[in-house]
Amino acid sequence: MSETIFSVTQEHLETGLRGYPVGYCTTSFVDPQKGLFYIDEPISKLVDLDPLDVVHMLYSGKRASKEDLDAFKADIQKRAHLEKETLKTISTLPKNGHPMKIFVCALITCGMLEGTDNYQEDCLNLIAKIPLIVAASISHHAGWKLNPSDPEKGYIENFTDMLSVPDSSKEDLLRAFKTFNKLHYDHGGGNLSAFVGKSVASGLEDLYGSAAASMCALEGPRHGKANQDCLEFTQEILEKLGEEASVDDVANLLREKLSKKELIYGFGHAVLRVEDPRASIFYESAQKHYSNNPLIKMALLLREAGPKVLKENPKISNPYPNVDAISGALLSAAGFNYPQYYTVLFGMSRVVGISIQILYERNIARGGKGVPIYRPKYFFKGKA
């Protein structure tokens, strides 16, 4: 690897460390033109794999043999349970606020009652337990029955069956949940939730507490809650223009919003300069399975009109859809029209990659010594 000297100037300060190199990520990276890669493979080549095949790849750093995968899946299944006390505590958590709060408390609870204080063991345990933690958190908040867990059904199959989603098709839910889960496992090392989780772990907080901190970061509207905001935006455009809207109608409304300095959701990305390949996968699935759904029709019109309008502003470096532009609409069309839980689903997936990244920084980095406690430098600046 070639070394690049990064000179820090005043203009780099108070920019959220954007683009500032601080370490290595061994699980994934984002290429501005090619999108997300898990290890060394583009996400488009992995989307048809079983979820645990992809998880093992992130964990081990390579594609595995059938024998290794079978052993890994058997190990995950053995770990995929929660103690009665853990489930009971989750079921008594207050329902105030966003359900991500319940999810965060559930992670802390699991760490208190079931943590081992061993990063490798807790990494594998949390990967195994996270579908049940999330199913219990959502079911408690929604007032749904939590069906018994049976890990032998499969990683996302079991998760889907644990949820008693009203008036839904298990086939549609399973397909949508599987795709959503695999596309959100990891996204490089510098996104806010990953960085926060690793920062907290650098103080030797256990993996559950570190993951909980990362989920607090994920909850914010500038990060994980974006998929919920994008769905609401798509619904708003649909309500204003109706089901017979054209691309020109959508484009004109977007121009009107921009003239009023209103936000346009679902477009742009900190790294990408093309349409997010994850979004492309979702669009393809939406067109194949839900082409007559009014929300999907509007999402597809926005896909066409958004870049056209945003390109009219030369200051916009990436006018293309990101994954949040379509993921919520697809979940809704598949029968999971509960946007308050979309960030929780995001967290269920992202905990996998973050846990593996934490394991690397604590047990493997710097020849096993681990990354030191995070301590960036701040310059004193008196109040004006």
Side-chain angles (χ1 to χ4, degrees):
M1 176 182 294
S2 61
E3 298 292 337
T4 301
I5 297 175
F6 191 93
S7 300
V8 179
T9 63
Q10 189 170 358
E11 64 186 21
H12 292 114
L13 303 180
E14 297 185 339
T15 59
L17 293 175
R18 186 169 294 271
Y20 191 89
V22 297
Y24 298 98
C25 179
T26 63
T27 48
S28 65
F29 67 94
V30 182
D31 182 279
Q33 299 299 325
K34 298 179 181 178
L36 175 63
F37 284 67
Y38 286 168
I39 310 300
D40 57 355
E41 296 197 50
I43 190 65
S44 59
K45 290 187 176 182
L46 304 172
V47 71
D48 292 328
L49 296 180
D50 181 80
L52 285 181
D53 291 3
V54 183
V55 172
H56 183 273
M57 180 179 172
L58 292 169
Y59 181 77
S60 66
K62 61 183 179 181
R63 289 278 194 116
S65 65
K66 184 181 183 303
E67 291 75 14
D68 287 344
L69 286 174
D70 288 345
F72 179 74
K73 291 176 182 179
D75 185 41
I76 292 297
Q77 288 174 8
K78 289 179 183 178
R79 299 170 184 267
H81 61 84
L82 291 176
E83 301 295 337
K84 290 182 180 179
E85 185 179 0
T86 304
L87 285 169
K88 181 180 178 180
T89 303
I90 294 173
S91 71
T92 61
L93 291 170
K95 300 180 182 181
N96 307 68
H98 197 281
M100 279 294 285
K101 301 285 194 243
I102 292 178
F103 180 32
V104 168
C105 291
L107 286 167
I108 293 290
T109 298
C110 192
M112 293 172 66
L113 299 176
E114 303 189 24
T116 68
D117 286 324
N118 178 300
Y119 287 109
Q120 184 163 359
E121 283 298 301
D122 283 340
C123 174
L124 290 168
N125 285 339
L126 184 53
I127 288 171
K129 296 172 188 290
I130 199 66
L132 179 50
I133 292 173
V134 169
S137 298
I138 291 176
S139 297
H140 169 57
H141 186 271
W144 298 339
K145 175 188 175 184
L146 176 65
N147 295 318
S149 173
D150 182 2
E152 292 187 4
K153 292 179 179 178
Y155 195 63
I156 302 302
E157 288 84 354
N158 184 37
F159 171 74
T160 305
D161 284 349
M162 282 189 284
L163 291 178
S164 300
V165 183
D167 303 319
S168 61
S169 158
K170 284 290 175 67
E171 180 183 356
D172 286 343
L173 286 179
L174 177 59
R175 181 173 54 243
F177 286 160
K178 270 191 171 184
T179 303
F180 189 95
N181 190 249
K182 287 180 284 187
L183 294 186
H184 288 88
Y185 283 144
D186 212 45
H187 205 252
N191 64 80
L192 180 64
S193 52
F195 181 73
V196 166
K198 291 183 290 188
S199 297
V200 171
S202 75
L204 300 188
E205 168 66 1
D206 67 26
L207 193 134
Y208 287 92
S210 302
S214 73
M215 292 301 99
C216 287
L218 190 77
E219 182 183 348
R222 291 188 177 182
H223 194 4
K225 192 171 174 283
N227 55 13
Q228 183 176 335
D229 292 336
C230 286
L231 175 61
E232 292 170 357
F233 178 75
T234 305
Q235 290 171 327
E236 176 196 342
I237 302 299
L238 178 60
E239 289 171 6
K240 286 186 176 181
L241 297 179
E243 296 184 26
E244 303 303 318
S246 67
V247 172
D248 288 340
D249 293 332
V250 175
N252 289 333
L253 181 55
L254 295 181
R255 291 188 184 98
E256 179 183 332
K257 282 183 165 292
L258 289 172
S259 70
K260 295 178 181 178
K261 300 190 182 304
E262 296 179 11
L263 294 177
I264 304 297
Y265 293 91
F267 298 87
H269 191 275
V271 180
L272 290 171
R273 295 298 175 262
V274 294
E275 179 176 283
D276 191 331
R278 298 173 300 170
S280 303
I281 292 168
F282 277 129
Y283 283 127
E284 181 180 349
S285 180
Q287 288 174 312
K288 180 177 180 180
H289 299 289
Y290 310 108
S291 59
N292 293 322
N293 182 285
L295 198 59
I296 294 300
K297 288 182 178 179
M298 181 52 68
L300 293 170
L301 288 175
L302 281 165
R303 181 192 194 187
E304 188 174 351
K308 177 181 176 181
V309 171
L310 294 173
K311 284 178 182 179
E312 294 168 3
N313 185 342
K315 293 183 180 180
I316 296 178
S317 57
N318 179 21
Y320 302 103
N322 55 49
V323 68
D324 298 314
I326 179 62
S327 61
L330 181 66
L331 287 169
S332 179
F336 197 73
N337 190 23
Y338 303 92
Q340 65 270 38
Y341 302 127
Y342 291 176
T343 311
V344 185
L345 291 180
F346 189 180
M348 169 180 157
S349 183
R350 187 55 59 84
V351 157
V352 171
I354 291 172
S355 297
I356 296 169
Q357 289 196 40
I358 289 173
L359 176 61
Y360 168 76
E361 290 214 348
R362 300 281 32 95
N363 287 15
I364 302 170
R366 299 200 311 155
K369 292 187 294 184
V371 173
I373 188 170
Y374 277 59
R375 186 65 171 87
K377 181 177 178 62
Y378 280 73
F379 298 106
F380 172 73
K381 180 180 181 182
K383 295 182 179 179

